[in-house]
Amino acid sequence: MTENKSRVVVLGTGGTIAGWAPDPKQAHQYRAGEVAVGDLVKALAPQGLHIETEDVARIDSKNMNWTVWQQLVARLTYWLAHDDVQGVVVTHGTDTLEETAILLHSLLKGDKTVVITGAMRAANAPDCDGPVNLQDAIRLAATPGRAGVVAVFAGHVHAPASLTKLDCQSLRAFASSDPVPIEPAIENLTALRERFSGQPDHPVDMDVSAFLQVTAWPRVELVHNHAAQDGWLVRTLIASPDAPEAWVVAGTGNGTLSQGLEDALIQAQEKGAWVWRTSRCPWGSVQAQRGDRLSQVCALNPCKARVVVTLALLALALKQQGLARPLP
Ligand code: ASP
């Protein structure tokens, strides 16, 4: 790597990239988040770069939650505000990596490079993929220019909006609609940014400072359409005292719902809940049809839509308290 006066910050949150197996021969039996991010970076011995490291959390990302997200956003905001910080890398478990990516993409207003990465094999597994992914992520974050929030995995750069973990075993666990190989991305960050700007955007009009003060999170539930879906879960929950404030539904095909589920969600909507339709298909995005009784659709996958809908509900609540501007 060439000499670079700018700093790159690597924030750790845990995951398999920081996982450790008591017996490397049984590397699938590991604990996520065991290794400090400083040690992961030290093992790479990056040349010619000023790198700061900090562990924000050391969790398995199946347990990612709003509190850790607030801590992560707080540290990102702190470091990104430094003029000499070129970019930030976030190491993360792969299980909810795409949810964190869309949260950061929606919330962070600046366009400095934030690269989120992870690994499918523990740090002491033979042929572990973490070092290469981390190295690629650091190189991208150190590149002059601004890429905004992106993910780097298995030699490719992905945009948060279409990023999805599709494989629970392969080293190429992630896919997106328009992945860019790492070398051309580093060579031309402007082209990368322009290419990704065509993807659906989901900005949330909420100041980071307001997000960091939230202590109560709206309940947004996710429900799937499937064969023999009769809407029982929705009808049961909307009758409870702490009924969800919003529903995201992973519909079949173009966001379609069984009659029973649609009727139940219409009841939820009539009681004041938001209902957003997405598709359980990994590719394509739901197109609203004239006459839809549930008219709100979201192009994101269901789990990412749930993050954005929660933020949108919060933004509205903060606006009603006079703390933030409304959604467009
Ligand atoms: N369970 C791990 C996590 O998400 C999986 C991984 O990182 O690949 O933290």
Side-chain angles (χ1 to χ4, degrees):
M1 289 181 187
T2 51
E3 183 67 35
N4 187 334
K5 284 204 200 112
S6 308
R7 287 189 289 174
V8 170
V9 180
V10 185
L11 300 179
T13 67
T16 299
I17 191 168
W20 197 258
D23 175 3
K25 288 197 213 98
Q26 308 266 323
H28 58 285
Q29 284 178 359
Y30 67 92
R31 280 173 62 99
E34 292 284 294
V35 185
V37 73
D39 291 335
L40 297 178
V41 171
K42 216 182 291 164
L44 292 177
Q47 302 295 306
L49 281 176
H50 299 268
I51 301 187
E52 311 283 349
T53 60
E54 201 175 288
D55 279 308
V56 175
R58 302 258 293 265
I59 61 168
D60 186 314
S61 80
K62 68 181 182 177
N63 295 318
M64 185 50 75
N65 58 53
W66 290 102
T67 305
V68 177
W69 273 340
Q70 279 179 312
Q71 289 159 353
L72 177 61
V73 168
R75 295 316 292 158
L76 273 164
T77 310
Y78 169 82
W79 284 112
L80 291 169
H82 288 69
D83 288 341
D84 67 336
V85 169
Q86 179 64 51
V88 180
V89 172
V90 177
T91 57
H92 200 289
T94 59
D95 289 342
T96 57
L97 189 149
E98 68 213 53
E99 288 162 70
T100 298
I102 201 71
L103 174 97
L104 300 180
H105 177 67
S106 299
L107 262 185
L108 297 177
K109 299 295 183 285
D111 55 1
K112 270 193 182 179
T113 307
V114 175
V115 187
I116 184 161
T117 193
M120 291 299 283
R121 291 188 187 153
N124 64 335
D127 305 328
C128 53
D129 53 332
V132 171
N133 288 344
L134 183 54
Q135 178 94 6
D136 285 347
I138 290 173
R139 287 175 64 221
L140 189 68
T143 303
R146 290 165 178 248
V149 178
V150 295
V152 161
F153 214 89
H156 288 80
V157 187
H158 302 271
S162 61
L163 177 72
T164 300
K165 184 177 178 183
L166 283 187
D167 196 315
C168 60
Q169 259 146 14
S170 159
L171 297 187
R172 300 189 70 151
F174 286 89
S176 64
S177 60
D178 193 15
V180 179
I182 186 74
E183 294 307 333
I186 288 172
E187 272 159 32
N188 195 339
L189 222 54
T190 311
L192 177 79
R193 195 173 168 74
E194 271 166 22
R195 195 152 149 183
F196 284 177
S197 69
Q199 301 227 359
D201 216 8
H202 298 274
V204 172
D205 203 354
M206 176 171 27
D207 290 336
V208 163
S209 56
F211 171 78
L212 295 179
Q213 283 165 37
V214 175
T215 52
W217 305 93
R219 179 166 289 284
V220 179
E221 288 300 332
L222 182 54
V223 64
H224 277 68
N225 192 42
H226 49 75
Q229 167 60 281
D230 64 1
W232 175 86
L233 184 69
V234 175
R235 284 198 309 279
T236 304
L237 283 186
I238 62 178
S240 83
D242 53 355
E245 289 171 56
W247 292 87
V248 171
V249 54
T252 28
N254 186 32
T256 57
L257 309 177
S258 71
Q259 200 58 60
L261 183 57
E262 186 179 48
D263 291 345
L265 286 169
I266 285 170
Q267 279 179 37
Q269 189 172 257
E270 284 167 359
K271 285 174 167 243
W274 288 4
V275 179
W276 286 80
R277 284 185 301 124
T278 63
S279 176
R280 67 181 211 183
C281 296
W283 301 127
S285 51
V286 176
Q287 306 295 317
Q289 313 273 345
R290 198 174 308 139
D292 280 342
R293 294 197 297 161
L294 295 166
S295 58
Q296 305 284 13
V297 298
C298 181
L300 298 171
N301 75 19
C303 292
K304 286 189 290 184
R306 192 184 160 279
V307 174
V308 170
V309 169
T310 309
L311 291 176
L313 267 174
L314 277 170
L316 185 66
L318 293 170
K319 180 208 156 215
Q320 285 164 349
Q321 294 161 27
L323 292 175
R325 284 169 295 143
L327 285 170

